[in-house]
Amino acid sequence: MTALVLDAPGAFHLDHTAPAAPGPGDALVRVHASGICGSDREVYEGNRPEGYVRYPVTPGHEWSGTVEAVGAGAPEALVGRKVVGEGFRNCQVCDRCHAGETTLCTAGYEETGFTRPGAMATTLTLPARLLHPLSDDADLSAAALLEPAACIAAAALKANAQPGQRVAVVGTGTLGMIAVQFLAAVSPAELLVVGTRRDREQLSLDFGATAFLTNDRLDDVRGGFDIVIETAGSAPAARTSAALLRRGGRLVLTGIPAEGTADGLDPTDLVVRQIEVRTVFGAAPDAWAHAVRVFDAGLLTLLPLVTHELPLSDFATAIELVGSGDPKVGKVLLRPA
């Protein structure tokens, strides 16, 4: 197998070794594609918070593939199946895990691609219990986006939007475009998308939005929305999202602003307007199952969000594309094969 190894921030090499046979309860997956997101760039640049990465590491937490082999105790029926998989390596025994809140596992943080070997490699070995089988005709390039889709499924479940409500999405990246699709499915009276990229306007409307506005055109709509999902990952986006809400509205934050920039959400304003704030960091099993069901039913369109597919050897080019700010760059996939 070939694996990309980040030895330290900014330093990487390709490692060539024979894959080990899967141990008890594990599955060996032949990786089809691995997506790159902002958190992978954080790992590359050394900006990820302490405790949330462990070098050397093979990145890759957004992935899809096919099961090649399983270890003792894992279901043999998985062999040959197209799959995606959860990243959080939860302990399964703490109270949070028993409640299904695996991203809050009290045993500590462990995640594929950050503290455990990830999918920027020919093969990936992980506990079979974390796998979610896909339909036989699933497009594996599109399925590589199911990890961000699961995170947005978690946000949608926490938002609990009802038919006829006024809802909004702030941010027009991969997460934002997926959020539009989840919210459109609940038949809102209005679905506004807020962003800086006018090139995303038509795609937003195609995915079910009823309107698209840039940040400088929001004066007439502030304070009128029941639910806002923030996906942009910046402090200004969080402030914009809160300002859009009506009194008693619900805000779901999914982005993580750069350290030292996350000021500006006024607690007095949140309290006086009785804003409910919920957050998402990763996706628990129920959100993963929700995303996979929607995808397998053909109700989630992901492939148009992919703009680049590059070989694993072009990691340096791929990581530059992700951080370029070029509006023509959407989701970048690495193809290990």
Side-chain angles (χ1 to χ4, degrees):
M1 64 173 284
T2 299
L4 179 92
V5 179
L6 275 172
D7 301 293
F12 65 91
H13 72 279
L14 290 178
D15 188 50
H16 305 282
T17 58
D26 287 343
L28 177 69
V29 177
R30 173 71 55 174
V31 177
H32 173 84
S34 179
I36 302 178
C37 81
S39 56
D40 294 306
R41 190 169 173 84
E42 285 179 351
V43 173
Y44 175 72
E45 294 178 338
N47 297 326
R48 192 159 173 85
E50 185 178 356
Y52 288 88
V53 63
R54 188 161 56 239
Y55 301 97
V57 66
T58 293
H61 62 287
E62 303 179 5
W63 59 270
S64 63
T66 304
V67 178
E68 283 202 340
V70 295
E76 289 285 346
L78 284 172
V79 176
R81 292 297 302 273
K82 295 178 179 180
V83 294
V84 290
E86 299 172 31
F88 281 77
R89 306 294 186 91
N90 57 299
C91 74
Q92 305 182 78
V93 296
C94 72
D95 60 340
R96 293 293 195 176
C97 286
H98 279 297
E101 300 171 332
T102 55
T103 60
L104 295 173
C105 177
T106 60
Y109 172 78
E110 295 285 349
E111 185 177 4
T112 299
F114 298 106
T115 64
R116 301 289 187 93
M120 293 186 190
T122 312
T123 62
L124 169 67
T125 300
L126 75 167
R129 62 182 173 82
L130 298 178
L131 296 178
H132 289 262
L134 304 172
S135 62
D136 292 340
D137 61 351
D139 185 310
L140 285 177
S141 291
L145 277 67
L146 277 170
E147 192 278 340
C151 293
I152 291 300
L157 291 171
K158 290 186 176 185
N160 193 28
Q162 301 298 309
Q165 288 186 317
R166 299 183 70 203
V167 300
V169 173
V170 175
T172 56
T174 298
L175 293 177
M177 293 299 94
I178 295 173
V180 172
Q181 297 181 63
F182 274 104
L183 288 176
V186 302
S187 301
E190 182 177 351
L191 175 46
L192 171 68
V193 175
V194 177
T196 59
R197 294 177 53 179
R198 297 297 315 204
D199 62 298
R200 289 291 201 179
E201 180 174 5
Q202 188 56 55
L203 190 58
S204 300
L205 297 175
D206 292 344
F207 284 154
T210 59
F212 179 97
L213 291 174
T214 51
N215 295 324
D216 58 343
R217 303 291 300 276
L218 299 179
D219 289 343
D220 294 336
V221 298
R222 296 180 190 275
F225 288 84
D226 300 288
I227 289 168
V228 179
I229 295 181
E230 175 277 324
T231 68
S234 70
R239 291 193 292 269
T240 295
S241 299
L244 287 170
L245 285 165
R246 64 164 176 81
R247 288 173 59 85
R250 185 177 300 119
L251 171 62
V252 183
L253 301 172
T254 71
I256 303 176
E259 188 174 358
T261 67
D263 58 343
L265 267 183
D266 182 359
T268 300
D269 175 64
L270 297 177
V271 171
V272 169
R273 292 200 294 136
Q274 300 181 63
I275 300 300
E276 179 184 346
V277 180
R278 310 204 69 181
T279 62
V280 170
F281 179 62
D286 62 339
W288 270 97
H290 185 46
V292 169
R293 280 195 302 269
V294 172
F295 177 73
D296 272 346
L299 302 176
L300 192 58
T301 303
L302 300 175
L303 202 56
L305 301 176
V306 177
T307 58
H308 296 76
E309 295 191 46
L310 302 173
L312 190 61
S313 57
D314 283 353
F315 171 75
T317 300
I319 207 76
E320 287 180 12
L321 283 170
V322 171
S324 68
D326 186 341
K328 295 180 181 179
V329 177
K331 177 57 66 176
V332 177
L333 299 182
L334 288 177
R335 296 288 300 274

